[in-house]
Amino acid sequence: MTETKPTESSALKKALISGITGQDGSYLTEFLLGKGYEVHGIIRRSSNFNTQRLEHIYIDPHNSSARMKLHYGDLTDASALRKWVDSICPDEVYNLGAQSHVGVSFENPDYTADVVATGALRLLEAVRVHIETTGRQVKYYQAGSSEMYGATPPPQDESTLFHPRSPYAVSKVAAHWYTVNYREAYGLFACNGILFNHESPRRGENFVTRKITRAVGRIKIGLQKKVYLGNLKASRDWGFAGDYVEAMWLMLQQEKPDDYVVATEDSHTVEEFLEAAFGYVGLDWKDHVEIDPRYFRPSEVDNLRGSSEKIRSLLGWKPKVDFQQLVAMMVESDLERAKREKVLADNGYIASHQQP
Ligand code: NDP
Ligand code: GDR
């Protein structure tokens, strides 16, 4: 295995993050700001603000102390990616941007491939050309996924065969190999993090854990009665997103680039998540869950459980939050949110089915 040692200090480094407005982007930004980085993020133009997850750390760019800067761009736009890499001159690039919903990828397969697979290639190419023309060192992180293992049974580690089961997962496999190829062909310092599912109170609301904890909060507070779900038998290795962004950063602080699995090594079914989340507020999930076939996928990934021995032993990473703590953190946060919604609904400011 590769010899890995921490290298230079991180003071005053610049990071460029695609997907900064997402769950991981927001935790990574907080983490890097805490390490003294200047953090630049690529955001998509949207008809509504899409920076809610960054609001608590946002400082007006006119203020000279602002160290987070946002730029319009898109992984489908190679010219924008080149422009930002060339003008920002980052030390580290984190490619977190993606159409990241597995179910949606069956409905939008071309778009998913364009953003997830070709988007990674575009960003790698922007970094490669920048290095070639400036002679600077730029390190690249690729957000790989346990979905790449798909049908291959657990435990899954760095040597496990990929057998992707969705357009999203196939696209992530392509992005993985583009990253390996740029490392081998051009000597790029490029790492693949193969991250198993990681969740938080900032998780998108149409992923199963957050869908469940949102429903638990709203059901407990009397704003809804039921939640509609698909396959409850699938197992996932669920960790806390805040722990996982540290792993991304650690990979780029080593002497040599490499690929690492990041996982808790503990796996639970969706049903077990339901039991823990509803149980936390004294409810029985069976009274509130209905199955809706629309949430079943054309091909499912049944069982993911990572083996993260490599990153634990070589980089000293380990998760700090376990399954029960994760469920508690998410339910408590969504319970508080539901209480605020109830005040608004009771006073006629929103309808009870609306979210503020
Ligand atoms: P999210 O879905 O929360 O965030 C995705 C981010 O990508 C958002 O900032 C989104 O912008 C942005 N984005 C979407 N399309 C484009 C585009 N065309 N161009 C530029 N940016 C785009 O994902 P997570 O934070 O959970 O995940 C981060 C990365 O890690 C993703 O690549 C995901 O596939 C991968 N991953 C996630 C895991 C997990 O369990 N969370 C596990 C393994 C891998 P907007 O806010 O405008 O929608
Ligand atoms: P996943 O996460 O597909 O593992 O991808 P998701 O939470 O969407 O699904 C997990 C499992 O739950 C089942 N499920 C449902 N899923 C959703 N979204 N909605 C439902 O109503 C529902 N009912 C049951 C799914 O079938 C599945 O088996 C996530 C994403 O973050 C990816 O970007 C990332 O790469 C992988 O995790 C690792």
Side-chain angles (χ1 to χ4, degrees), residues 100-102 145-147 168 195-197 203 206-209 211 228-231 234 236 270 295 297 300-301:
S100 70
H101 198 285
V102 173
S145 167
S146 51
E147 281 294 297
Y168 166 81
L195 273 53
F196 282 62
N197 298 52
R203 182 59 142 154
N206 59 356
F207 296 96
V208 78
T209 55
K211 188 170 167 183
Y228 294 87
L229 298 172
N231 176 18
R236 292 291 182 273
V270 174
Y295 297 116
R297 293 164 183 181
E300 176 61 287
V301 170

Side-chain angles (χ1 to χ4, degrees), residues 20 22-32 53-54 199-203 240-243 245 329:
I20 192 169
Q23 171 190 254
D24 291 7
S26 69
Y27 282 107
L28 181 63
T29 301
E30 277 173 13
F31 179 85
L32 293 176
R53 292 187 179 99
L54 299 170
E199 320 292 313
S200 74
R202 296 183 207 165
R203 182 59 142 154
F240 171 52
D243 290 344
V245 298
M329 179 199 299

Side-chain angles (χ1 to χ4, degrees), residues 18-25 42 44 50 53 73-76 95-100 111 115 143-146 168 172 195-199 203-204 207:
S18 79
I20 192 169
T21 56
Q23 171 190 254
D24 291 7
I42 291 172
R44 301 195 286 173
N50 56 1
R53 292 187 179 99
D74 198 296
L75 285 162
T76 58
N95 184 28
L96 310 186
Q99 188 305 90
S100 70
Y111 175 71
V115 175
S145 167
S146 51
Y168 166 81
K172 281 288 183 191
L195 273 53
F196 282 62
N197 298 52
H198 45 279
E199 320 292 313
R203 182 59 142 154
F207 296 96

Side-chain angles (χ1 to χ4, degrees), residues 130-150:
H130 177 77
I131 291 172
E132 193 177 271
T133 49
T134 62
R136 298 182 62 249
Q137 162 78 303
V138 183
K139 297 180 175 180
Y140 176 91
Y141 172 82
Q142 171 59 33
S145 167
S146 51
E147 281 294 297
M148 299 189 294
Y149 297 123

Side-chain angles (χ1 to χ4, degrees), residues 260-261 263-266 307-319:
Y260 300 89
V261 160
T264 68
E265 306 192 339
D266 181 26
S307 166
S308 47
E309 170 57 24
K310 180 175 172 182
I311 193 164
R312 288 174 194 241
S313 61
L314 292 181
L315 309 196
W317 177 89
K318 63 174 193 287

